[in-house]
């Protein structure tokens, strides 16, 4: 069996480590390119949301490289993600691809279901091996998140453009190659030192912008036109509302162990503006915006895929939030036709606006 | 205290108005329905919503605004779920919030939260809370609710018998002015058909009620098809058990009530021998429909004998003439591919 799965930011590093520690061959989809995007949008429904299209592109390129099994998450609605697996399977079957698709449904509080589904992929294994694999995967995921967070803080202060990103990429490589949690930790520490060493003093005053929106769009630099890097290089400190490890704790771990309560905080924060769950990340988008405004950030950017239902609701309500809390908000709706230059122009204009309103406030 | 409650003639008005009207009138309130969708309404809806919103949601806003000033409350339910473990559309879950932010000048929004995804208890409580706004007598509320449920039952039967929602409402005296539009889809073939000897084409029509039954958004598709001498079967006319059986063919259960209905009806229509053509109408950039269409297209691609299948996408720029031409072309294809 040669396993593959869709890409999401740097998640593949952790995913690969996890499955390989369980003795499974993994064939990763190559890093997304224009070709991925055009393959994906060619074979997907026109109004499907962008993540689905990019996933399809990933699968096709991974199948070309010899993968024969795809793992994908399922879901119970209300948003489309829950049906991704089924639609993707039918699309690929319609293209006469030869593969097996395993859709992992959310456990909804039943540990036995998780175990059964994992067995289907992995086959029986001693429990210690599971624990070791999970430990390795998790340590990679957590270290990557730490490094990503650090990169966002450091970029505006780098000595010359691109140095932080360069050091960050190098650190990622080391984490990818690390074989034990211990090696991962030391790779991450080295990476942090390297990234800090290419920066000037970090305490001078820079504008701060928060990024909110749909998970895939926030986490995948390829589809959001590397918004974090670009903002950082314009001298902006970026705060990101979603980190994969937090997301997994909130949506996977707490779904397996239902005794752990899910956080109510987003609902509290969003309540004056949006008082009901709307699927996807709609409530969180509003909540993070409110939170950022309260923290005194200088602006918020929402990134959403075209036709994304929860984000449309949020987008519709954000102007009110922006007005009432006095924080500039911009929405970037992106699809397969979005161009890097177009996004860059809008980012520059927004950063100018943010700088101006900052000066006005002082 | 007597109040006027305004009902926007949009979204799921077409399914649930009879029940709510009965409910509120039993509690001594008056109900007022906004007029038919017009260009001006759509424009006023477009003005206050984000570009990315779908046409039906924009139209809903237009209807709400046309009611403001005339009613004490405007009815904008938060429709989360009308059956276990299924939803309708995320956009309907956030509708009252959107309306509140977009439409200024409404006196009050009446937004009961309809959520039956876990059980019906929460729903019963919500109905009670809504009733309490108008009376303190719990017996009155539960009587009103029973009456409403009965009305709903009768109404659904009429829909299954082949009446369009507005027709059924008129028949039940729930809708004051009998509308001439959407004059229904009764199965009776026009008399001259017999003389010619040809069986009229039967077209299976798929689409959200607020599109196909709205003369403006749906471009009068029902009347048009009828004038072109085709008989129409909509998904509302199929027995629910059959729809469920067909929809169960999907390996993964579709967790949108309306989506599952569309899929089940679509699978049925795509079987050779049921209808002569399957026509889907959907809104530009509609989330759920993008997936349902794909599932139907895949099914159509797999089948040996193909039933003609076409999707018409409507948005604020769709012109009647274009739709008309496409319908004619579609009926041509259906005519040619009909067996024997
Ligand atoms: S949240 Fe948006 S992107 Fe995600 S499945 Fe739903 S519509 Fe698609
Ligand atoms: S189902 Fe489609 S048309 Fe209806 S509200 Fe949702 S997105 Fe709009």
């Amino acid at each position: 069996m040669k396993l593959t799965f869709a890409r999401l930011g740097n998640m593949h590093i952790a995913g690969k480590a996890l499955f390989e520690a369980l003795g499974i061959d993994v064939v990763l989809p190559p890093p997304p390119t224009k070709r991925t995007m055009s393959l994906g949008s060619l074979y997907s429904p026109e109004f499907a949301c962008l993540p689905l299209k990019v996933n399809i592109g990933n699968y096709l390129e991974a199948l070309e490289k010899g993968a024969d099994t795809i793992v994908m998450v399922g879901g119970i609605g209300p948003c489309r993600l829950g049906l991704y697996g089924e639609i993707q399977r039918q699309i690929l079957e319609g293209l006469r691809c030869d593969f097996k698709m395993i859709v992992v449904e959310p456990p909804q509080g039943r540990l036995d279901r998780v175990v059964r589904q994992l067995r289907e992929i992995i086959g029986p294994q001693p429990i210690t091996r599971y624990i070791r694999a999970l430990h390795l995967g998790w340590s990679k995921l957590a270290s990557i998140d730490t490094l990503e967070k650090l990169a966002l803080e450091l970029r505006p202060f780098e000595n010359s453009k691109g140095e932080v990103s360069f050091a960050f990429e190098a650190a990622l490589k080391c984490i990818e190659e690390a074989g034990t949690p211990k090696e991962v930790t030391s790779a991450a520490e080295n990476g942090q030192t390297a990234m800090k060493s290419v920066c000037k003093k970090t305490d001078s005053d820079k504008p701060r912008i928060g990024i909110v929106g749909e998970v895939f769009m926030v986490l995948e630099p390829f589809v959001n036109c590397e918004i974090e890097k670009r903002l950082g290089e314009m001298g902006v400190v970026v705060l990101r509302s979603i980190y994969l490890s937090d997301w997994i704790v909130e949506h996977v771990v707490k779904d397996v162990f239902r005794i752990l309560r899910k956080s109510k905080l987003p609902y509290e924060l969003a309540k004056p503006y949006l008082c009901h769950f709307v699927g996807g990340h709609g409530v969180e988008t509003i909540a993070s915006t409110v939170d950022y405004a309260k923290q005194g950030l200088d602006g918020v950017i929402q990134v959403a895929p075209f036709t994304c239902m929860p984000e449309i609701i949020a987008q519709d309500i954000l102007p009110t939030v922006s007005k009432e809390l006095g924080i500039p908000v911009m929405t970037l709706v992106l699809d397969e036709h979005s161009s890097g230059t177009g996004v860059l122009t809008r980012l520059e204009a927004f950063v100018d606006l943010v700088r101006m309103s900052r000066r006005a406030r002082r | 205290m007597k109040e006027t409650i305004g009902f926007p003639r949009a979204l799921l008005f077409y399914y649930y108005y009879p029940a709510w009207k009965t409910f509120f009138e039993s509690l001594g309130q008056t109900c007022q329905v906004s007029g038919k969708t017009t260009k001006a309404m759509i424009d006023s809806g477009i003005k206050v919503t984000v570009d990315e919103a779908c046409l039906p949601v924009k139209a809903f806003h237009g209807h709400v605004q046309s009611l403001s000033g005339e009613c004490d409350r405007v009815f904008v339910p938060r429709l989360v779920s009308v059956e276990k473990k299924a939803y309708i559309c995320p956009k309907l879950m956030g509708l009252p919030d959107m309306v509140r932010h977009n439409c200024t000048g409404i006196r009050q929004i009446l937004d009961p939260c309809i959520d039956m995804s876990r059980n019906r208890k929460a729903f019963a409580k919500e109905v009670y809370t809504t009733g309490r706004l108008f009376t303190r007598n719990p017996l009155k509320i539960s009587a009103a609710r029973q009456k409403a449920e009965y009305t709903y039952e009768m109404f659904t039967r009429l829909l299954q018998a082949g009446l369009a929602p507005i027709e059924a409402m008129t028949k039940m005296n729930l809708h004051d002015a009998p509308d001439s539009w959407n004059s229904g889809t009764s199965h009776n073939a026009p008399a001259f058909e017999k003389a010619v000897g040809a069986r009229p084409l039967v077209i299976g029509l798929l689409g959200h009620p607020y599109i196909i039954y709205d003369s403006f958004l749906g471009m009068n598709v029902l009347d048009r098809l009828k004038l072109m001498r085709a008989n129409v079967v909509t998904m509302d006319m199929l027995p629910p058990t059959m729809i469920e059986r067909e929809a169960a063919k999907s390996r993964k259960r579709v967790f949108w009530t309306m989506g599952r209905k569309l899929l089940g009806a679509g699978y049925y229509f795509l079987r050779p021998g049921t209808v002569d053509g399957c026509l889907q109408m959907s809104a530009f950039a509609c989330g759920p429909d993008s997936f349902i269409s794909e599932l139907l297209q895949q099914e159509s691609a797999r089948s040996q004998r193909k039933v003609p299948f076409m999707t018409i996408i409507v948005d604020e720029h769709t012109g009647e003439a274009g739709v008309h031409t496409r319908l004619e072309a579609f009926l041509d294809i259906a005519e040619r591919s009909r067996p024997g």
Side-chain angles (χ1 to χ4, degrees), chain A residues 6-7 36-37 39-60 72 80-92 101 214 216-217 223 305-307 336, chain B residues 256 287 290-291 294:
Chain A
R7 291 177 77 113
T36 319
M37 195 72 114
L39 275 178
S41 35
L42 180 62
Y43 297 118
S44 312
E46 186 187 355
F47 297 129
C49 27
L50 196 59
L52 180 122
K53 299 182 183 178
V54 181
N55 287 174
I56 290 282
N58 282 162
Y59 297 148
L60 287 171
M72 178 63 197
R80 281 184 271 183
L81 179 65
L83 279 166
Y84 266 32
E86 179 64 18
I87 299 272
Q88 292 172 339
R89 182 176 66 79
Q90 294 206 12
I91 291 176
L92 295 178
M101 186 137 190
E214 193 275 329
F216 183 82
M217 301 305 285
V223 292
F306 179 56
T307 77
E336 63 268 31
Chain B
W256 301 306
S290 68
F291 278 25
E294 180 67 26

Side-chain angles (χ1 to χ4, degrees), chain B residues 5 24 73-77 100 108-112 130 133-134:
Chain B
I5 300 166
F24 289 121
R73 295 172 198 261
V74 178
F75 186 71
V76 186
R100 207 165 272 136
Q108 222 172 349
I109 288 180
L110 186 56
D111 62 339
T130 310
L133 293 170
F134 306 103

